[in-house]
């Protein structure tokens, strides 16, 4: 306040001093006719109007008129004018100076107004860009006050949404002079921008014709149109993000339904084979009482094997669903990798009896895992290696430490995997159309294995070449460096 008063006083002193300097110069040193003096004073008045404003120019015009009459119009030294033509000249000078000052001030005001609108348009553009960068509704709602605060330079911003009566704030002030219980009533009743009685400008937010909420912004000088545009930008950004989220939910629901249908179709298809075999064997036993002991044993073996197959299929489907829903309880502990390999010799013993399995584990550290889950992964990889390889073809198990992880590989010399299918084989229910008829399976083993490895913070990858075999590699955390103790 003190500095503003000092600046105003300084301007008045400078304006009057310059006027007196011009009058003194023409009076004492430069002797010219009154017309030249009048034009010089008029030029100075226009300069004052352009640089300082209209009120300075009007006052200087009156003072200049008096000086012009006193020092340059005869009789010099008095305010009396002897020649009536000089009266006309004096009034013409005064009218010209005031009109010129007015026009100069008007041009200045229009230039400042245009500059202000330009800044407001730039501000709205920057804000729109910030708002449109985020598609998540929750993020936009929480970030809107901070974005407006950053872009506009406001000291405090409050966003109130009718949906859930939620309030989001940013800035120095922790609240407003408006009580929070009254915000809902204000949001419902406000139809246009209201400067308010306090420091906050109240901007209504609308969703079409319905009120959506309220935006309160403090210490920002904008036009009414810019305030309305600010509220429209926030509403449009919320509408856009909501629409994107709705589309995402619809797409997710559609994809979920497609996968559910795919699972049901696949399981139905896979169930029919063992059910048909069980039904046929049971019908033969029931309808033919004269079945000899050897055939009876064979039919009962078929029923037993196909029942196990059904149980395995249903178990894998349930396990996959539990893994995806993160409902599987895992107990992590330091386990030697060799112990898991030895457990695999018992769990999937048929692989070791039909194929020579070579193990190279060297001296790798213990891993921090759920031993039962990793056993499932290893057995699944070993069984796939055996199923897609010729009998008696070798299988290799190896492990190495790299980048703080233990990388375990299962390699075979089987039929291999085409490069186009190497990313597809980890999808649920995917089975290669080239080999699905030759080997049995559900298409969920690798998907389950990948989910288990990922739950341990590792990865499962494959390197393969058709007719030359495949190498499946999964990574596990080292026990001494693992930070997690359980899930």
């Amino acid at each position: 306040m003190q500095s503003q008063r000092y600046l105003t006083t300084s301007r008045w002193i400078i304006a009057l001093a310059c006027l007196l300097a011009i009058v003194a110069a023409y009076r004492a040193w430069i002797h010219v006719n009154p017309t030249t003096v009048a034009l010089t004073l008029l030029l100075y008045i226009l300069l004052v109007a352009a640089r300082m404003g209209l009120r300075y120019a009007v006052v200087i015009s009156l003072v200049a008129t008096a000086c012009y009459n006193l020092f340059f119009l005869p009789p010099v030294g008095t305010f009396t004018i002897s020649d009536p033509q000089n009266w006309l000249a004096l009034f013409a000078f005064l009218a010209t100076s005031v009109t010129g000052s007015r026009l100069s001030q008007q041009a200045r005001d229009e230039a400042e107004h245009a500059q202000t609108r330009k800044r407001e348009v730039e501000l709205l553009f920057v804000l729109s860009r910030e708002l449109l960068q985020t598609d998540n509704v929750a993020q936009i709602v929480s970030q809107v006050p901070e974005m407006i605060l950053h872009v506009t330079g406001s000291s405090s911003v409050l966003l109130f949404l009718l949906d859930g009566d939620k309030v989001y704030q940013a800035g120095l002030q922790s609240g407003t002079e408006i009580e929070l219980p009254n915000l809902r009533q204000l949001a419902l009743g406000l139809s246009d921008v209201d400067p308010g009685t306090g420091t906050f400008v109240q901007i209504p937010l609308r969703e079409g014709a319905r009120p959506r909420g309220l935006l309160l912004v403090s210490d920002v000088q904008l036009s009414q149109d810019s305030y309305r545009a600010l509220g429209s930008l926030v509403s449009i950004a919320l509408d856009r993000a909501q629409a994107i989220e709705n589309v995402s939910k619809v797409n997710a629901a559609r994809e979920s339904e497609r996968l559910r249908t795919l699972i049901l179709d696949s399981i139905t298809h896979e169930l029919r084979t063992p059910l048909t075999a069980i039904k046929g064997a049971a019908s033969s036993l029931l309808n033919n009482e004269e079945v000899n002991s050897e055939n009876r044993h064979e039919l009962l073996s078929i029923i037993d094997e196909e029942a196990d197959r059904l149980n395995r299929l249903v178990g894998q489907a349930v396990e996959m669903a539990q893994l995806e829903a993160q409902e599987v309880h895992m107990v992590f502990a330091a386990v030697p990798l060799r112990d898991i390999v030895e457990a695999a010799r018992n769990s999937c013993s048929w692989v070791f009896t039909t194929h020579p399995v070579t193990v190279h584990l060297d001296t790798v550290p213990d891993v921090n895992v759920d031993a039962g889950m990793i056993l499932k992964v290893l057995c699944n990889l070993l069984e796939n290696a055996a199923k897609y390889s010729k009998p008696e073809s070798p299988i290799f198990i190896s492990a190495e430490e790299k980048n703080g992880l233990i990388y375990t590989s299962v390699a075979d010399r089987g039929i291999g995997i085409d490069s186009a299918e190497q990313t597809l084989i980890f999808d649920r229910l995917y089975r290669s159309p080239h080999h699905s008829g030759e080997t049995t399976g559900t298409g969920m083993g690798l998907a389950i294995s990948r989910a288990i490895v990922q739950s341990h913070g590792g990865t499962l990858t494959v390197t393969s070449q058709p007719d030359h075999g495949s190498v499946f590699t999964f990574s596990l955390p080292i026990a001494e460096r693992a930070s997690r103790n359980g899930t």
Side-chain angles (χ1 to χ4, degrees), residues 277-333:
I278 293 173
K279 178 65 175 177
S283 297
S284 298
L285 290 173
L286 291 173
N287 296 330
N288 191 354
E289 299 180 355
E290 298 179 357
V291 177
N292 56 41
S293 59
E294 182 178 351
N295 291 336
R296 181 183 297 273
H297 182 270
E298 182 179 353
L299 292 173
L300 291 174
S301 298
I302 292 175
I303 294 175
D304 182 64
E305 292 175 1
E306 295 302 327
D308 289 340
R309 183 179 174 185
L310 277 175
N311 184 56
R312 184 168 60 253
L313 177 63
V314 173
Q316 286 183 334
V318 172
E319 186 176 17
M320 189 71 228
Q322 290 175 338
L323 286 170
E324 289 185 344
Q326 297 182 349
E327 295 179 353
V328 178
H329 178 71
M330 297 186 187
V331 179
F332 291 80

Side-chain angles (χ1 to χ4, degrees), residues 164-456:
D165 290 341
K166 298 178 181 177
V167 178
Y168 304 88
Q169 298 188 56
L172 300 177
Q173 301 184 33
S174 59
T176 72
E177 65 271 16
I178 303 175
E179 295 294 333
L180 293 182
N182 297 330
L183 286 174
R184 182 176 182 85
Q185 182 179 358
L186 186 60
L188 291 172
L190 192 63
S191 59
D192 199 2
V193 175
D194 184 0
T197 57
T199 59
F200 282 85
V201 177
Q202 303 166 12
I203 307 172
L205 302 179
R206 294 192 170 276
E207 184 178 7
R210 296 183 304 158
R212 172 180 233 143
L214 186 67
L215 184 66
L216 303 180
V217 184
S218 68
D219 300 327
V220 176
Q221 297 297 326
L222 299 176
S223 64
Q224 287 287 102
D225 291 338
S226 295
Y227 282 127
R228 295 188 189 99
L230 179 61
S232 298
L233 277 178
V234 175
S235 297
I236 291 172
L238 293 176
D239 288 339
R240 174 180 174 272
Q242 186 67 57
I244 292 176
E245 186 172 272
N246 290 339
V247 170
S248 300
K249 289 181 179 179
V250 170
N251 291 336
R254 186 182 297 115
E255 180 67 13
S256 177
E257 184 63 27
R258 187 188 69 83
L259 290 175
R260 186 181 297 109
T261 303
L262 185 63
I263 291 174
L264 289 175
D265 291 344
S266 177
I267 291 179
T268 300
H269 175 74
E270 294 295 332
L271 287 175
R272 283 175 179 171
T273 301
L275 283 175
T276 301
I278 293 173
K279 178 65 175 177
S283 297
S284 298
L285 290 173
L286 291 173
N287 296 330
N288 191 354
E289 299 180 355
E290 298 179 357
V291 177
N292 56 41
S293 59
E294 182 178 351
N295 291 336
R296 181 183 297 273
H297 182 270
E298 182 179 353
L299 292 173
L300 291 174
S301 298
I302 292 175
I303 294 175
D304 182 64
E305 292 175 1
E306 295 302 327
D308 289 340
R309 183 179 174 185
L310 277 175
N311 184 56
R312 184 168 60 253
L313 177 63
V314 173
Q316 286 183 334
V318 172
E319 186 176 17
M320 189 71 228
Q322 290 175 338
L323 286 170
E324 289 185 344
Q326 297 182 349
E327 295 179 353
V328 178
H329 178 71
M330 297 186 187
V331 179
F332 291 80
V335 180
L337 191 59
R338 187 174 296 277
D339 290 355
I340 299 177
V341 174
E342 292 301 321
R345 291 183 182 273
N346 298 324
S347 183
C348 46
S349 57
W350 70 269
V351 176
F352 291 83
T353 58
T354 57
H355 295 264
V357 179
T358 304
V359 180
H360 295 289
L361 297 181
D362 298 330
T363 56
V364 294
D366 295 350
V367 289
N368 186 64
V369 297
D370 183 302
M373 288 294 179
I374 298 303
L375 175 61
K376 289 183 180 180
V377 174
L378 184 59
C379 282
N380 181 63
L381 297 180
L382 288 171
E383 290 175 353
N384 282 349
K387 287 194 295 184
Y388 294 100
S389 301
K390 294 181 179 180
E392 300 301 325
S393 62
I395 298 175
F396 304 91
I397 302 175
S398 61
E400 63 174 339
E401 180 182 357
K402 185 169 61 176
N403 299 327
L405 296 171
I406 300 298
Y407 288 82
T408 306
S409 299
V410 176
D412 62 67
R413 294 179 181 174
I415 58 178
I417 304 169
D418 188 82
S419 58
E421 294 184 305
Q422 290 182 16
T423 57
L424 300 175
I425 58 174
F426 295 103
D427 293 341
R428 292 172 295 181
L429 305 173
Y430 179 82
R431 299 194 66 201
S432 173
H434 305 293
H435 312 295
S436 58
E438 302 174 4
T439 57
T440 60
T442 63
M444 289 192 290
L446 289 177
I448 292 174
S449 298
R450 183 178 63 174
I452 292 174
V453 172
Q454 288 178 344
S455 67
H456 285 73

Side-chain angles (χ1 to χ4, degrees), residues 18-44:
C18 290
L19 174 62
L20 295 178
I22 294 173
V23 172
Y26 278 131
R27 179 69 179 167
W29 300 296
I30 306 173
H31 300 287
V32 293
N33 58 52
T35 303
T36 302
V37 175
L39 292 175
T40 303
L41 293 176
L42 184 60
L43 180 63
Y44 174 65

